[in-house]
Amino acid sequence: MTTEHATARINPWAVAQQQFDLAAEKLGLDAGMRAVLREPRREFTVHFPVHMDDGSVRVFTGYRVQHNLGRGPAKGGIRYHQDVSIDEVKALAMWMTWKCAVVGIPYGGGKGGVIVDPKQLSMRELEALTRRFFTEIEVLVGPEKDIPAPDVNTNAQVMAWMMDTYSMHAGYTVPGVVTGKPISLGGSEGRNEATARGTVYCIVEAARHLGIELKKAKVAVQGFGNAGSIAAQLIVAEGSTVVAVSDSTGGIHNPNGLDVNKVIAWKKEHGTVQGFPGATDIGNEQVLEVECEILIPAALENQITERNADKVKARLIAEAANGPTTPEADRILWKKSKFMIPDILCNAGGVTVSYFEWVQDLNRDHWSEEIVNAKLKEIMVKAFTSVLAIARREQCDMRTAAYLLAVERVADAMAMRGLYP
Ligand code: NAD
């Protein structure tokens, strides 16, 4: 069965609500608070037209969801993908709420998406789609209200178009409306690498805790985009060996190690990691099951499920992706003593440096990469240490521990604000 088929059967929103319910139960959250946090505050659907290069007009569907605004403005990426759905965006928005709370940055959770395969669009069509979508969601976004960022298939160029669109309507430049922008437009040093860097900071801490020697560790990475390919580079810099990687077209494997920089160059030239000289082509699911100490899922949701969880060989799983593991798979991995660094902790480096970018924009400031990385490390290590302490105290897995920390922080903020009116 292909990954796509497996993914289609599992609803990420049901997964997100199950994860929340578990934490709410453990925390003994009262019924009212539970009901509030269990649903998104705002769900916005837009259908918008775009002039295509062949002269036709095509109508696209997009979403922006704000799950919770208790701790600050909504924060979360915008995804362009053919499988985007309102339930996926709701789940991703809820995970953003918990993620911002885990690392203690003053944001609520939001997310957006457009149903489109951007690889089928020309640059002009992509720009037109981006500008019109951003115009449609402008009633919600703004530097004090909701600040989007890149996610799957969106990047610094797309953020530049969004920032320009908002600024044109405002009549002046508003850099703080999106993060993940090019450096020349108020982007932050280190933002491009931040998700992967945060993941690797967590892996270093987890490896120390588990007694895994990174210099001897073999690593497999699923997904070879912003999060995955940079995580592969950074883990190699720690002395580990990357033995398998994959993208949407499939995977490659070499038990003796892959030259990550050469794989990046190969993918750039051929549009796929497959066919890389010296490696064996494997299926995307097999990448999750190869012999290794560390597995980094960095693609999409629902990749490790009850079907394949017991085939995962890695001792340590670091979720650079959002929602790659289902609750059933979590239970199997926990029984097998696997150590999970959950998404809401593991990939929080991206939103943390997005927060730094927003702070720099609002203050018309620019920090060096050294300062950004040092501040990021401090936040990630502190969050990891706090979550590990809860996991030990409660004798629970790291995901549950991260949820206990996050949900309690959000519930506390909501309770202090009180129920309006
Ligand atoms: P990206 O578009 O840069 O890369 C996505 C990669 O996944 C591509 O290599 C693509 O080929 C691959 N992919 C797609 N479908 C796949 C499949 N079925 N099997 C294997 N590979 C597949 O996106 P990204 O920004 O790297 O995001 C990846 C994950 O990381 C997502 O879950 C995203 O939400 C999460 N994330 C990203 C950021 C960020 O700052 N970019 C922050 C936090 C979390």
Side-chain angles (χ1 to χ4, degrees), residues 4 79 151 153 191 195 224-227 247-248 284 298-299 320-322:
E4 275 68 23
R79 174 175 294 194
D151 193 71
N153 291 329
R191 174 60 185 89
T195 303
F224 209 59
N226 174 276
D247 59 23
S248 58
N284 187 33
N322 285 304

Side-chain angles (χ1 to χ4, degrees), residues 3-4 79 81 92 99 111 119 150-154 191 195 222-228 246-249 267 284 298-301 303 320-323 347-348 350-351:
T3 316
E4 275 68 23
R79 174 175 294 194
H81 196 277
L92 289 161
K99 193 180 300 180
K111 203 81 181 191
K119 287 177 196 133
D151 193 71
V152 174
N153 291 329
T154 55
R191 174 60 185 89
T195 303
Q222 186 200 42
F224 209 59
N226 174 276
S246 70
D247 59 23
S248 58
T249 62
K267 182 171 162 71
N284 187 33
L300 296 172
E301 300 88 52
Q303 301 301 305
N322 285 304
N347 68 40
V351 74

Side-chain angles (χ1 to χ4, degrees), residues 50-54 58 116-130 161:
V50 177
H51 268 301
M52 307 306 283
D53 288 347
D54 66 3
R58 221 175 115 186
V116 60
D117 179 0
K119 287 177 196 133
Q120 308 296 324
L121 302 186
S122 69
M123 276 294 266
R124 194 209 59 79
E125 289 169 337
L126 187 68
E127 178 176 350
L129 174 138
T130 298
W161 290 328

Side-chain angles (χ1 to χ4, degrees), residues 117-403:
D117 179 0
K119 287 177 196 133
Q120 308 296 324
L121 302 186
S122 69
M123 276 294 266
R124 194 209 59 79
E125 289 169 337
L126 187 68
E127 178 176 350
L129 174 138
T130 298
R131 289 184 181 279
R132 182 62 189 250
F133 174 61
F134 210 70
T135 302
E136 295 297 337
I137 64 168
E138 239 176 57
V139 291
L140 287 178
V141 299
E144 309 295 337
K145 300 195 293 185
D146 182 347
I147 307 116
D151 193 71
V152 174
N153 291 329
T154 55
N155 56 21
Q157 173 63 79
V158 172
M159 295 306 116
W161 290 328
M162 289 177 176
M163 182 274 232
D164 182 69
T165 300
Y166 190 88
S167 299
M168 282 297 145
H169 297 161
Y172 56 94
T173 298
V174 188
V177 67
V178 291
T179 57
K181 299 180 296 297
I183 304 274
S184 57
L185 291 178
S188 179
E189 306 289 342
R191 174 60 185 89
N192 192 44
E193 301 79 17
T195 303
R197 199 175 289 283
T199 294
V200 172
Y201 286 146
C202 286
I203 291 175
V204 169
E205 294 305 307
R208 186 176 304 135
H209 168 67
L210 296 170
I212 295 176
E213 235 184 289
L214 282 182
K215 289 198 168 28
K216 290 188 186 155
K218 292 186 173 183
V219 184
V221 184
Q222 186 200 42
F224 209 59
N226 174 276
S229 69
I230 301 176
Q233 285 178 313
L234 293 176
I235 200 72
V236 167
E238 294 294 330
S240 305
T241 305
V242 172
V243 294
V245 301
S246 70
D247 59 23
S248 58
T249 62
I252 53 173
H253 182 221
N254 182 344
N256 298 318
L258 297 163
D259 183 327
V260 170
N261 288 333
K262 284 191 180 152
V263 179
I264 291 173
W266 178 269
K267 182 171 162 71
K268 211 171 184 181
E269 193 184 336
H270 301 273
T272 167
V273 295
Q274 290 214 312
F276 182 69
T280 312
D281 283 350
I282 57 174
N284 187 33
E285 288 215 7
Q286 283 171 275
V287 173
L288 303 169
E289 300 165 12
V290 299
E291 210 58 66
C292 63
E293 279 74 41
I294 301 168
L295 172 63
I296 307 178
L300 296 172
E301 300 88 52
N302 302 328
Q303 301 301 305
I304 307 176
T305 66
E306 59 188 327
R307 261 183 328 102
N308 60 2
D310 64 350
K311 296 188 196 134
V312 170
K313 313 273 187 319
R315 169 92 196 283
L316 169 58
I317 300 144
E319 292 185 329
N322 285 304
T325 312
T326 64
E328 294 78 17
D330 264 336
R331 283 192 279 276
I332 295 168
L333 296 170
W334 172 243
K335 260 195 206 145
K336 294 190 76 179
S337 303
K338 305 292 187 189
F339 190 89
M340 168 69 73
I341 314 174
D343 47 8
I344 58 171
L345 167 65
C346 192
N347 68 40
V351 74
T352 301
V353 177
S354 273
Y355 164 63
F356 296 162
E357 179 173 331
W358 180 73
V359 169
Q360 291 169 77
D361 288 340
L362 296 182
N363 291 314
R364 301 291 188 261
D365 200 354
H366 192 78
W367 307 346
S368 69
E369 190 174 353
E370 290 69 37
I371 290 180
V372 168
N373 290 348
K375 282 177 180 283
L376 173 64
K377 185 173 184 181
E378 191 186 327
I379 288 179
M380 294 306 298
V381 171
K382 187 174 167 203
F384 182 91
T385 308
S386 308
V387 172
L388 182 62
I390 295 171
R392 283 174 143 170
R393 189 187 72 211
E394 300 293 324
Q395 295 289 302
C396 65
D397 62 288
M398 289 283 281
R399 189 183 317 280
T400 306
Y403 267 77

Side-chain angles (χ1 to χ4, degrees), residues 61-81:
T61 298
Y63 310 101
R64 185 73 188 169
V65 172
Q66 298 177 343
H67 170 256
N68 187 274
L69 305 173
R71 299 178 63 259
K75 190 85 190 81
I78 290 178
R79 174 175 294 194
Y80 290 171
H81 196 277

